[in-house]
Amino acid sequence: MKSLHDMPERPGPARASLDRLFELTEVLGALMQRGMADRGLTLARAGVLWALFHDGPMTQRALAAARGVTPRNVTGLLDALQEEGLIAREAHPTDRRATLVSLTPKGREFTAGLRGGRDELAALLFADLPPQQLDTFAATLVLAIERLKDVDSTAHA
Amino acid sequence: MKSLHDMPERPGPARASLDRLFELTEVLGALMQRGMADRGLTLARAGVLWALFHDGPMTQRALAAARGVTPRNVTGLLDALQEEGLIAREAHPTDRRATLVSLTPKGREFTAGLRGGRDELAALLFADLPPQQLDTFAATLVLAIERLKDVDSTAHA
DNA sequence: GCATATCGTGAAGTGACTTCACTATGTAGT
DNA sequence: ACTACATAGTGAAGTCACTTCACGATATGC
């Protein structure tokens, strides 16, 4: 008969894939961090710029929700970005408590550069792959993301 | 004739896959961080434990190289782990400058728990996938990791 | 109007990380 | 053996992301 402990001895394809995922997370994270450092800012600050680029001007509160961090943290990140001239704080037209954050021209230019870098990297990584392989890859990624989010939400309960 | 700007308008499968990768990096990172926080420690500290678990006792210098951080940082992480009773510093048998770091029984127990959690997650994510899909996925991951490392090393030049 | 929720921010603190300087020790080179 | 140099770990000081708590200013519901 098969022992309950037959499986754990061999890696198994599922575990191997997850380990690859961990490795990729590390490498990709490091690469992004380096890329941002070369451009003179940090991942957290770049994330704020990216959110503004995608969704347009918004309040700091909305930005905090979009980035999943505390409002207080957003204040600090924006202070730095404003110092660099990449974002601007304006008065909110109707709510005098809130400030409306938007990209300056310089911020827009910078963010367009980011987008270009991303597209370049995407081409470098995947452009030469057979469409079917890339499809399978993307579909599996989507599945993994979905299940990970599930785990996270049930863990919060 | 086709304009040079035909392509950038559509996302394209390569860019979509890379964006998924970014998303997964975020979600997986958040999940790991939460998992470690629940167990009473941080990602950086857990990484040190994991390295010791895999490669056995080693000097702080070796640990720094294995984790890709500065030796000074290792000192701080080990201080915390030693406080928790998860690692022990012993005198190096031949080199009196170095300290040999090893897992305590408590540290080994803890790390075995981590491994169990990883295997559980792997099963949850991938166990029910057709072998061929998982193979394609893993192979593409390996390719992406390899190319990312390439980019990083050439960028260092 | 008055209670209450919300917006941003000062104050204070944590964790991961860095660089620089310094001591203690190993390793040559002559 | 003695001098020169590299290496192991750590104290000091600082940066960045992030948190919680408290507070003043405004909005909003009743």
Side-chain angles (χ1 to χ4, degrees), chain B residues 3-141:
Chain B
S3 154
L4 278 172
H5 295 287
D6 275 358
M7 210 260 281
E9 299 302 333
R10 289 188 322 283
R15 192 180 99 183
S17 289
L18 181 57
D19 284 347
R20 295 298 183 190
L21 235 42
F22 285 142
E23 187 179 356
L24 185 133
T25 293
E26 267 192 333
V27 177
L28 188 54
L31 187 74
M32 287 171 66
Q33 194 169 348
R34 254 191 66 84
M36 290 309 112
D38 287 349
R39 292 161 196 260
L41 46 89
T42 64
L43 273 181
R45 308 220 244 262
V48 169
L49 289 184
W50 198 249
L52 287 172
F53 183 71
H54 263 154
D55 302 336
M58 61 180 110
T59 71
Q60 297 190 193
R61 221 75 186 193
L63 215 36
R67 297 288 316 156
V69 299
T70 59
R72 186 59 184 87
N73 190 11
V74 170
T75 299
L77 296 175
L78 290 180
D79 285 349
L81 290 171
Q82 195 169 19
E83 194 86 14
E84 304 285 332
L86 296 170
I87 61 105
R89 283 191 246 228
E90 314 152 38
H92 187 102
T94 68
D95 191 337
R96 275 194 300 181
R97 296 167 302 178
T99 55
L100 203 55
V101 183
S102 55
L103 292 177
T104 62
K106 186 176 172 187
R108 251 188 303 283
E109 186 187 343
F110 182 91
T111 317
L114 286 191
R115 190 190 49 187
R118 179 201 57 174
D119 292 346
E120 217 175 290
L121 180 61
L124 207 116
L125 286 182
F126 301 128
D128 63 337
L129 260 62
Q132 206 209 332
Q133 179 180 353
L134 196 51
D135 282 354
T136 301
F137 180 64
T140 311
L141 275 180

Side-chain angles (χ1 to χ4, degrees), chain A residues 6 15 43 47 77 89 95 100 110 114 122 127-128 141 152 154:
Chain A
D6 275 0
R15 192 180 100 183
L43 275 179
L77 297 174
R89 284 190 243 228
D95 190 338
L100 203 56
F110 182 92
L114 286 191
D128 63 337
L141 274 181
D152 209 36
T154 56

Side-chain angles (χ1 to χ4, degrees), chain A residues 32-83:
Chain A
M32 288 170 66
Q33 193 169 348
R34 253 191 67 83
M36 290 309 111
D38 287 348
R39 291 160 196 260
L41 48 89
T42 63
L43 275 179
R45 308 218 243 266
V48 168
L49 288 184
W50 198 250
L52 287 171
F53 182 71
H54 264 154
D55 303 336
M58 59 180 109
T59 71
Q60 299 191 190
R61 222 72 186 191
L63 213 36
R67 296 288 317 158
V69 298
T70 57
R72 186 59 184 86
N73 190 11
V74 170
T75 299
L77 297 174
L78 290 180
D79 285 350
L81 290 171
Q82 193 169 18
E83 194 85 13

Side-chain angles (χ1 to χ4, degrees), chain A residues 104-127:
Chain A
T104 62
K106 185 176 171 188
R108 249 189 303 282
E109 186 187 343
F110 182 92
T111 317
L114 286 191
R115 191 189 47 187
R118 179 202 56 175
D119 292 346
E120 217 176 290
L121 181 61
L124 208 116
L125 286 182
F126 301 127

